[in-house]
């Protein structure tokens, strides 16, 4: 395992230590590694050895193996050997296919969530968005908010299968953009606010239009970057 991965693991462990509870240790490792992957702290060419990771985190191999198998099952990792993995690469076609399906499912989620949305929770998200748009925050803060908002809407739809599918599709999009120089925080904030405002009014039509435009803009930015624009 390359040294840069060791540094990333050490830094995150210092900030977020594992609390060794046997019943949830595998879950803690899974969440830790998932965050490292989606926050670009484990490069795609890094080998993730089960034994080396277990040693780094000072845990037994069984919960480490369970966490790695789970991440592979969700499409975040691919096997490189009997006991090693790497971050999965998502190509351009898979990205655009995922985004097309996201549009269908996220618009469906909005239409179902409008009448079920928790208004107090929505206002909390609106306040967080306002704080993000005004202050200086690292990239992970913006990504975590993006994740919370989209998951909040999906969960409010009441369709658990839809929630699981969107988690996977959003992970695909995130993996595609891991090495991308694209940054559109200001635009994301404005588009997210349009979605939140529609949900405040319980306006399903405006909400689906705002979500569709948001996803179109994300795709168009990638198309522009790929064309050299």
């Amino acid at each position: 395992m390359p040294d840069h991965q060791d540094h990333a693991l050490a830094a995150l462990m210092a900030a977020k230590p594992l609390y060794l509870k046997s019943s949830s240790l595998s879950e803690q490792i899974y969440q830790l590694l998932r965050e490292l992957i989606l926050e670009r702290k484990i490069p795609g060419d890094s080998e993730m050895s089960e034994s080396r990771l277990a040693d780094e985190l000072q845990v037994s191999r069984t919960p480490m193996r369970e966490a790695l198998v789970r991440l592979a099952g969700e499409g975040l990792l691919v096997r490189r050997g009997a006991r090693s993995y790497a971050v999965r690469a998502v190509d351009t076609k898979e990205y655009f296919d995922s985004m097309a399906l996201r549009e269908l499912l996220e618009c469906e989620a909005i239409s179902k969530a409008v009448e079920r949305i928790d208004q107090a929770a929505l206002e909390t998200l609106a306040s967080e968005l306002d704080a993000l748009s005004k202050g200086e925050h690292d990239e992970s803060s913006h990504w975590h908010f993006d994740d919370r908002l989209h998951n909040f809407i999906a969960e409010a739809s009441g369709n658990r299968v839809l929630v699981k599918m969107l988690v996977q599709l959003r992970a695909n999009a995130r993996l595609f953009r891991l090495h991308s120089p694209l940054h559109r925080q200001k635009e994301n904030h404005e588009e997210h606010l349009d979605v939140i405002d529609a949900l405040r009014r319980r306006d399903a039509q405006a909400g689906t239009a705002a979500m569709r435009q948001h996803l179109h803009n994300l795709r168009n930015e990638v198309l522009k970057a790929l064309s050299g624009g």
Side-chain angles (χ1 to χ4, degrees):
M1 186 184 304
D3 289 342
H4 51 237
Q5 184 173 332
D6 294 347
H7 296 326
L9 282 166
L12 196 62
M13 283 189 292
K16 298 182 179 182
L18 292 173
Y19 296 96
L20 303 182
K21 298 176 182 177
S22 58
S23 61
S24 62
L25 183 54
S26 176
E27 173 69 20
Q28 291 181 68
I29 296 169
Y30 161 79
Q31 293 292 346
L32 178 68
L33 294 179
R34 187 176 189 275
E35 188 165 350
L36 275 171
I37 293 166
L38 295 179
E39 289 190 1
R40 312 181 192 210
K41 292 179 175 138
I42 298 181
D45 59 352
S46 296
E47 180 181 339
M48 300 178 67
S49 163
E50 176 187 303
S51 59
R52 182 68 177 273
L53 283 170
D55 290 343
E56 287 290 334
L57 294 177
Q58 298 181 347
V59 298
S60 66
R61 294 190 185 184
T62 297
M64 178 58 69
R65 183 178 306 119
E66 291 172 353
L68 291 171
V69 167
R70 183 176 172 186
L71 289 165
E74 292 180 0
L76 291 176
L77 299 178
V78 291
R79 283 189 181 273
R80 272 194 171 172
R83 292 287 185 267
S84 64
Y85 297 80
V87 177
R88 186 172 72 88
V90 171
D91 63 23
T92 304
K93 183 179 187 307
E94 183 176 358
Y95 170 76
F96 285 111
D97 286 348
S98 295
M99 292 298 288
L101 189 51
R102 269 189 68 185
E103 180 178 334
L104 293 174
L105 294 182
E106 297 222 42
C107 288
E108 174 69 8
I110 286 270
S111 66
K112 297 295 185 186
V114 162
E115 296 303 323
R116 301 165 55 96
I117 212 80
D118 182 327
Q119 290 292 329
L122 183 64
E123 291 306 320
T124 297
L125 285 168
S127 296
E128 291 180 22
L129 178 59
D130 184 59
L132 279 174
S133 64
K134 291 178 179 177
E136 293 292 330
H137 301 274
D138 59 26
E139 185 181 10
S140 66
S141 298
H142 297 274
W143 172 67
H144 282 299
F145 175 82
D146 185 81
D147 225 25
R148 287 196 304 277
L149 176 62
H150 284 268
N151 288 343
F152 170 72
I153 294 168
E155 289 166 3
S157 75
N159 187 326
R160 288 180 292 179
V161 176
L162 182 149
V163 173
K164 290 179 181 179
M165 292 180 69
L166 281 176
V167 167
Q168 177 63 65
L169 292 170
R170 283 174 50 73
N172 286 354
R174 182 73 180 172
L175 286 175
F176 176 79
R177 295 169 69 96
L178 284 180
H179 304 294
S180 166
L182 304 174
H183 300 288
R184 60 187 318 273
Q185 292 169 355
K186 180 177 182 294
E187 295 87 346
N188 276 351
H189 294 332
E190 293 171 352
E191 292 158 17
H192 285 156
L193 184 57
D194 288 341
V195 171
I196 288 173
D197 284 343
L199 289 172
R200 281 168 163 162
R201 302 192 306 272
R202 298 189 184 275
D203 187 334
Q205 185 174 357
T208 55
M211 180 63 77
R212 184 174 290 111
Q213 188 61 57
H214 173 50
L215 297 176
H216 280 186
N217 290 346
L218 291 171
R219 287 204 304 269
N220 289 340
E221 184 188 60
V222 171
L223 282 170
K224 182 178 178 181
L226 291 173
S227 65

